[in-house]
Amino acid sequence: MALSVSYGERYGWTVVQVAGEVDISGVAALRERLQRLVTGGCLRMVVDISRVDFCDSTGFAVLVATRRMLSSRDGQLRLVLPGPEVHTRKILQLFGIERIFDVHDSVDDALADLREPLLAADAADAAEAAEVADAVPRPREGTHAAAAD
């Protein structure tokens, strides 16, 4: 399967989806895309390689180089790995990927700490709005509110 690289944004993080085979023939496209994102100002990145069928040492080296580029700019890289039963993950574990990277099982897991404060903030905003709405006097049915002079 040919290498496919796409990206988008969630919670202020760039999420890069990688699928296919990351080997000597496709690694240049991955390296170029990741470098372009970092040099373009991306400081927080999730690289999802959960759909990568094969990753050799050149692919691993690109991930390490991207992590270093982000670190040098005070950025962060989170990595989403294939499932534990997938051969690609086992190979990456031999490279020591879990000691080097902040690894997760899904993009949702990688962004969970960002989503929860937003949900809490939304709940707090809703509670505050309800308090304000309760504090504003409303005219009763059948009566008219008089404007103050």
Side-chain angles (χ1 to χ4, degrees), residues 43-54:
L43 292 176
R44 297 178 298 178
M45 183 183 298
V46 174
V47 179
D48 179 359
I49 60 170
S50 64
R51 296 185 337 201
V52 167
D53 301 322
F54 177 79

Side-chain angles (χ1 to χ4, degrees), residues 57 91 119 138:
S57 60
I91 297 298
L119 293 175
R138 295 186 189 115

Side-chain angles (χ1 to χ4, degrees), residues 7 13 22 27 39 45 73 85 88 90-91 123 133 141:
Y7 66 95
W13 284 65
V22 182
V27 77
T39 58
M45 183 183 298
R73 292 170 163 82
E85 71 287 347
T88 304
K90 292 174 183 174
I91 297 298
E141 195 172 311

Side-chain angles (χ1 to χ4, degrees), residues 5-148:
V5 179
S6 60
Y7 66 95
E9 196 163 306
R10 285 178 64 189
Y11 305 113
W13 284 65
T14 301
V15 178
V16 181
Q17 303 280 339
V18 183
E21 296 182 1
V22 182
D23 58 13
I24 193 82
S25 64
V27 77
L30 178 62
R31 178 180 29 255
E32 180 182 324
R33 170 59 60 201
L34 295 176
Q35 284 178 349
R36 210 177 315 151
L37 287 168
V38 174
T39 58
C42 171
L43 292 176
R44 297 178 298 178
M45 183 183 298
V46 174
V47 179
D48 179 359
I49 60 170
S50 64
R51 296 185 337 201
V52 167
D53 301 322
F54 177 79
C55 183
D56 67 10
S57 60
T58 60
F60 183 74
V62 166
L63 294 172
V64 171
T66 303
R67 185 184 142 288
R68 285 185 182 148
M69 283 180 68
L70 283 164
S71 283
S72 72
R73 292 170 163 82
D74 293 324
Q76 297 177 40
L77 175 69
R78 295 177 180 178
L79 198 58
V80 177
L81 296 180
E85 71 287 347
V86 177
H87 183 71
T88 304
R89 183 175 185 142
K90 292 174 183 174
I91 297 298
L92 291 170
Q93 286 174 321
L94 292 174
F95 290 137
I97 201 156
E98 292 175 336
R99 289 189 310 267
I100 298 170
F101 292 93
D102 180 8
V103 299
H104 301 271
D105 291 325
S106 70
V107 172
D108 286 338
D109 288 347
L111 299 173
D113 63 323
L114 304 168
R115 188 176 62 242
E116 290 174 15
L118 290 176
L119 293 175
D122 288 345
D125 289 345
E128 183 177 325
E131 287 176 21
V132 169
D134 288 341
V136 174
R138 295 186 189 115
R140 293 185 187 176
E141 195 172 311
T143 64
H144 299 283

